[in-house]
Amino acid sequence: MTLNWHPLCELIRSADRFVLTSHVRPDGDALGSELGLARILDALGKQVKIVNPSATPNHLAFLDPEKRVQKIGEHITKPEVLECDVHLVVDTSSWQQLDGLRSVLEATKARKVVIDHHVSSDDLGALEFKDTSASATGVLIAELADALGVVPSPSAATALFCAIATDTGWFRFPNADRRTYQRAAALIDQGVQPAVLYRELYERSSLARIKLHSRVLGRVEAEAGGRIAHTYVLRKDFEETGTHPSDTEDLVNVSLTIEGVECAFTLVEQLSGMMKVSLRSRSDVDVAKIAESFGGGGHRQASGAMVPGPLANAQQKVIEALTLALPPMTSLPPA
């Protein structure tokens, strides 16, 4: 799918002040897309603020050495965010994912724009540039740079490569298509050092994070004849290991590596008592639909939502939903 970027290019050229926003608990695609886009707009001489509903997780802080990403209510006030011509939302079009900034987006007089690749969507009253066939929002931002005639700087290219690499599981997920590899190759030509970026992303674990993972992976259980794997993280696990919720990143993918497992999920206890569920699939099960049934969303093979606690209740509800979604087992013909 090829998006018509012309209306957005015209809007960008005519405006001066921009605010960029992404979803709660920003991941590599969210932050990489924001920082990449900010640096592209910098090259055009624009004034850019990045304002998120959540703080940047520790393991992604290296992407933002200038500490440009600000948390609403902590680093910047609502009136300051409203001082812009264009408010760009990237990597989400869900009100639930914008908790903390919804009132700003509803009150703003600025032109609102969404750039996203997720299926799940709400009407934000924005000009939408959405392509669900794109493997990452970072792919779309890189394509926008082409349309604007801007060659990303090495730092912008690195942020966009991070966005693409993390949302494709370092290019091992099925969403890593020809378009993805072509864009990644172009970003390497623009200054990305993949080996350096990989070390920053995946080879900087703290001892505390390793201990948390050991604890949580020790709880993995299988259901539905080994076709579903799941585990959980309690608030006390963070307290006792000295870790943070961002340290659970990628844990769900480990459960998915078990032979015979078609779907996996991890539940993380929240301060509210709700359980955050991360869902993954490597079968025909569309976990985005399951996430949507709980008020969340995402991709066909990677989604998330909030499920009412306590833990046992959340486990039962998610297991039931996944079990119902599993395709029938195919039996081999007799020898």
Side-chain angles (χ1 to χ4, degrees):
M1 177 178 178
T2 301
L3 289 172
N4 176 16
W5 292 109
H6 180 73
L8 182 53
C9 290
E10 289 298 303
L11 178 60
I12 288 172
R13 292 188 182 103
S14 65
D16 294 315
R17 302 171 303 166
F18 294 78
V19 169
L20 311 184
T21 288
S22 194
H23 52 76
V24 293
R25 297 177 296 278
D27 57 9
D29 193 16
L31 285 166
S33 294
E34 287 179 305
L35 287 161
L37 180 55
R39 291 160 186 165
I40 289 162
L41 294 173
D42 290 344
L44 294 171
K46 308 299 181 180
Q47 301 172 41
V48 187
K49 297 174 184 174
I50 306 175
V51 184
N52 282 343
S54 303
T56 299
N58 291 337
H59 72 285
L60 292 173
F62 74 93
L63 286 173
D64 184 22
E66 303 95 349
K67 293 182 169 52
R68 295 183 67 169
V69 181
Q70 302 176 86
K71 180 183 176 184
I72 183 71
E74 185 173 321
H75 307 119
I76 191 169
T77 64
K78 178 177 175 178
E80 290 175 304
V81 181
L82 290 171
E83 295 174 358
C84 68
D85 305 314
V86 179
H87 197 138
L88 269 152
V89 178
V90 302
D91 201 42
T92 186
S93 47
S94 163
W95 281 124
Q96 185 183 57
Q97 290 280 291
L98 293 165
D99 186 35
L101 273 164
R102 178 168 185 164
S103 64
V104 175
L105 285 160
E106 289 179 331
T108 188
K109 303 296 184 187
R111 188 66 183 273
K112 290 182 285 189
V113 177
V114 166
I115 304 175
D116 189 22
H117 72 133
H118 293 91
V119 175
S120 306
S121 182
D122 293 325
D123 182 3
L124 306 189
L127 182 64
E128 280 200 352
F129 296 86
K130 178 171 282 205
D131 180 358
T132 58
S133 69
S135 59
T137 298
V139 169
L140 301 179
I141 302 299
E143 292 174 351
L144 172 60
D146 286 351
L148 287 165
V150 175
V151 176
S153 64
S155 62
T158 297
L160 295 176
F161 194 98
C162 176
I164 297 167
T166 53
D167 244 31
T168 59
W170 205 261
F171 308 100
R172 73 186 191 274
F173 296 163
N175 62 341
D177 55 12
R178 178 186 177 89
R179 177 182 179 190
T180 304
Y181 283 104
Q182 288 176 328
R183 184 53 59 183
L187 292 169
I188 291 171
D189 289 342
Q190 290 155 6
V192 177
Q193 299 180 60
V196 174
L197 180 58
Y198 186 91
R199 285 199 299 272
E200 290 288 344
L201 285 169
Y202 303 116
E203 296 177 348
R204 293 189 305 120
S205 286
S206 65
L207 180 59
R209 188 170 190 261
I210 294 295
K211 288 184 176 181
L212 174 70
H213 284 206
S214 174
R215 178 183 294 207
V216 175
L217 292 174
R219 297 171 179 158
V220 173
E221 299 287 345
E223 311 286 343
R227 302 173 73 188
I228 299 170
H230 63 95
T231 187
Y232 62 90
V233 190
L234 302 175
R235 291 200 305 272
K236 70 176 184 178
D237 293 324
F238 298 123
E239 297 164 7
E240 292 172 1
T241 58
T243 51
H244 305 276
S246 62
D247 288 314
T248 62
E249 185 79 17
D250 253 6
L251 263 175
V252 65
N253 293 320
V254 179
S255 297
L256 197 63
T257 65
I258 300 169
E259 186 174 4
V261 168
E262 299 174 41
C263 304
F265 70 91
T266 297
L267 291 163
V268 181
E269 186 181 23
Q270 307 295 297
L271 288 171
S272 64
M274 297 286 282
M275 303 295 294
K276 176 179 178 284
V277 61
S278 295
L279 296 146
R280 296 293 184 271
S281 169
R282 62 175 179 188
S283 68
D284 290 334
V285 175
D286 184 348
V287 292
K289 289 183 178 178
I290 292 169
E292 286 167 8
S293 72
F294 294 114
H299 303 292
R300 182 181 180 86
Q301 293 187 303
S303 292
M306 290 291 181
V307 183
L311 173 64
N313 173 73
Q315 283 176 324
Q316 181 181 355
K317 287 184 177 298
V318 178
I319 290 168
E320 287 175 354
L322 285 172
T323 302
L324 285 171
L326 283 171
M329 290 285 287
T330 55
S331 56
L332 294 173

